[in-house]
Amino acid sequence: MTAFRAMLRRELRLALRGGGDVLTLVLFFVIVGAIVPFAVGPDRALLARIAPGIVWISAFLAMLLGLDRLFRPDHEDGSLILLRHAHLPLSATIAAKLIAHWLVAALPLIVASPFLAMLLAMDEPTFWRMLVSLLVGTPALAAFGAVGAAVTVAIRRGGLIAPILIAPLSIPVLIFGTGSITAPQSAAAMLFLAALSLMAVALAPFAAALAISSAED
Amino acid sequence: MTSRQVFPPLTLRAAGLVCGRGGMALTHDLTLAVGPGRCLLLRGPNGSGKTTLLLTLAGIVAPLEGSFALEGADAETGPNLHYCGHRNAVKSRLTVAENLGFWAAVNGATGMAVAGALDEVGLGRLGTLDAGYLSAGQSRRLALARLLVSLRPLWLLDEPTAALDSEGHELVTRLIERHLAMGGIAVAATHDPITLPDPACMETMVLGARP
């Protein structure tokens, strides 16, 4: 348990001392959402209708952007080889990385989402549903992203391949994510989203550990 | 067998081992047996497969043929080896002590304390410095300190003296010597002469020339 905590602490320290990294993702998230009103025109009714989808797309793209940071720095400085030989099992290492990744790449987006909701003329009940759906759904995006990043970490330009690999996996998350905000049976969609998140988070550390430990250096 | 013996008697044994990268064999039909308290030095020109052999023994590259095993090892106790490669695995945004403390936590703090290990490798006063400010030789020393904070019987060292000054060479010799005295095994690939005080526990293996 101390090893797990040490891993988590290290990841958070590295991310927060990077400073700019976290802010970049938040800015990207807000900018993607903010340019949509300019592109579709100043129709408040239309904006309010498509706002949940825009928020989810922005969150998805911002989380893709942060994916390369998950394993590549450790791969490049040789830490990843050593983590394979650590006393802490590799799947636990990756679970710690996944939690840290969610805390620095998804939580700041959720904190910034009220700003985006304002820009997109979202009404208040929709906003609260969006907040819950982001909280419930982003762990699934982080988990699928971790698997994609683990599979591609040993490939030189893998950072570009990972998004292509995980986009199909993320489509259900987007469907149920926006569904839980707007669909008539939004409660059912929210339950599906929660199930998806729980399953992805439970399986991703093992899948990612398998991918990393079977890759040659 | 000395009184300081802390590791169970292990033997690293390989038979008919063929290692290579990308399907190309670099070492042919290696047979080796390294017993407790012994050090195997790998020598050979660039590209002769020293690193590949070490990566194979570390379980990172699959052998093309043959097999190897650490005999007498108990699978229950977790990983038995330290790999010290070309890259130092030092995070420049963490301080020196945080870097080492992290490895002590995830590998098990079974060896020296962090401060003691830093003193040992000559970084005692730099614990609070960001590791990004370390020179190449100092980063190397920090990587070597990682071997001290967690006790593991098998050391696989790839160019342990790279970027080190002459005092650093003595440090590496001293660390290996102490490790062997505890009943450990060391396999080191090096171009620099490493001379242990007791030549009887050293073996040298010369790997083939560049094809």
Side-chain angles (χ1 to χ4, degrees):
Chain A
M1 207 58 212
T2 49
F4 188 82
R5 270 207 304 275
M7 188 73 216
L8 196 60
R9 199 162 53 231
R10 167 199 195 240
E11 290 296 309
L12 291 176
R13 268 185 188 150
L14 283 174
L16 297 179
R17 287 184 195 170
D21 290 358
V22 176
L23 203 61
T24 309
L25 293 187
V26 173
L27 279 178
F28 183 81
F29 172 70
V30 171
I31 288 170
V32 170
I35 57 171
V36 174
F38 295 103
V40 301
D43 181 348
R44 280 182 73 90
L46 175 67
L47 268 183
R49 206 169 73 237
I50 61 174
I54 294 167
V55 171
W56 264 102
I57 289 172
S58 310
F60 172 61
L61 292 178
M63 287 189 73
L64 281 186
L65 203 63
L67 220 52
D68 214 30
R69 220 180 35 202
L70 203 50
F71 297 116
R72 190 160 302 277
D74 280 338
H75 176 67
E76 279 168 0
D77 71 11
S79 303
L80 204 57
I81 290 185
L82 300 177
L83 287 172
R84 282 163 70 166
H85 289 123
H87 197 73
L88 185 69
L90 190 58
S91 47
T93 300
I94 291 170
K97 274 178 164 291
L98 185 57
I99 293 170
H101 179 65
W102 186 82
L103 287 175
V104 299
L107 197 58
L109 306 185
I110 297 171
V111 171
S113 64
F115 184 65
L116 207 56
M118 203 175 66
L119 286 176
L120 296 170
M122 209 181 261
D123 55 33
E124 206 183 318
T126 317
F127 166 70
W128 290 113
R129 279 206 298 275
M130 177 204 75
L131 212 58
V132 176
S133 90
L134 280 179
L135 273 172
V136 171
T138 44
L141 286 186
F144 288 135
V147 176
V151 169
T152 55
V153 69
I155 306 172
R156 200 168 290 275
R157 293 268 173 252
L160 300 172
I161 300 172
I164 299 171
L165 203 64
I166 63 167
L169 291 172
S170 304
I171 286 174
V173 182
L174 294 185
I175 291 174
F176 291 114
T178 49
S180 66
I181 305 173
T182 56
Q185 293 94 8
S186 63
M190 187 71 85
L191 286 178
F192 264 110
L193 190 63
L196 209 57
S197 256
L198 288 174
M199 194 191 68
V201 170
L203 294 181
F206 298 101
L210 193 66
I212 287 176
S213 57
S214 59
E216 290 201 348
D217 183 45
Chain B
M1 298 274 170
T2 63
S3 55
R4 287 185 290 163
Q5 186 98 23
V6 293
F7 298 119
L10 303 176
T11 305
L12 177 67
R13 210 180 287 277
L17 193 62
V18 179
C19 320
R21 301 304 297 266
M24 187 177 76
L26 290 168
T27 62
H28 295 283
D29 219 11
L30 281 180
T31 299
L32 56 88
V34 193
R38 297 187 65 82
C39 171
L40 176 68
L41 290 184
L42 301 175
R43 293 187 182 282
N46 296 140
S48 58
K50 300 186 293 297
T51 298
T52 306
L53 176 57
L54 287 176
L55 284 173
T56 306
L57 293 175
I60 288 162
V61 173
L64 298 179
E65 272 173 48
S67 64
F68 65 94
L70 191 59
E71 290 175 0
D74 184 2
E76 300 269 304
T77 59
N80 284 303
L81 63 91
H82 271 306
Y83 174 75
C84 184
H86 292 289
R87 290 167 298 177
N88 292 327
V90 167
K91 289 286 176 199
S92 55
R93 283 170 187 169
L94 302 182
T95 68
V96 171
E98 280 171 354
N99 263 296
L100 193 56
F102 164 71
W103 288 114
V106 294
N107 285 339
T110 47
M112 287 174 142
V114 168
L118 286 179
D119 271 336
E120 183 67 36
V121 297
L123 297 175
R125 294 191 303 169
L126 302 178
T128 54
L129 188 75
D130 270 9
Y133 296 119
L134 295 183
S135 73
Q138 287 174 320
S139 297
R140 196 69 190 161
R141 284 164 184 260
L142 182 52
L144 290 170
R146 197 183 65 235
L147 309 183
L148 303 176
V149 291
S150 313
L151 288 178
R152 290 187 177 176
L154 175 58
W155 284 7
L156 300 172
L157 310 171
D158 199 354
E159 301 276 2
T161 52
L164 289 181
D165 52 17
S166 58
E167 195 271 324
H169 286 216
E170 285 164 26
L171 169 72
V172 171
T173 311
R174 196 166 68 235
L175 295 182
I176 294 179
E177 188 196 338
R178 198 187 311 147
H179 180 63
L180 299 186
M182 292 194 294
I185 305 172
V187 180
T190 177
H191 294 292
D192 295 317
I194 291 182
T195 320
L196 298 174
D198 180 10
C201 57
M202 258 176 30
E203 284 170 65
T204 304
M205 178 188 265
V206 181
L207 295 180
R210 210 175 341 211

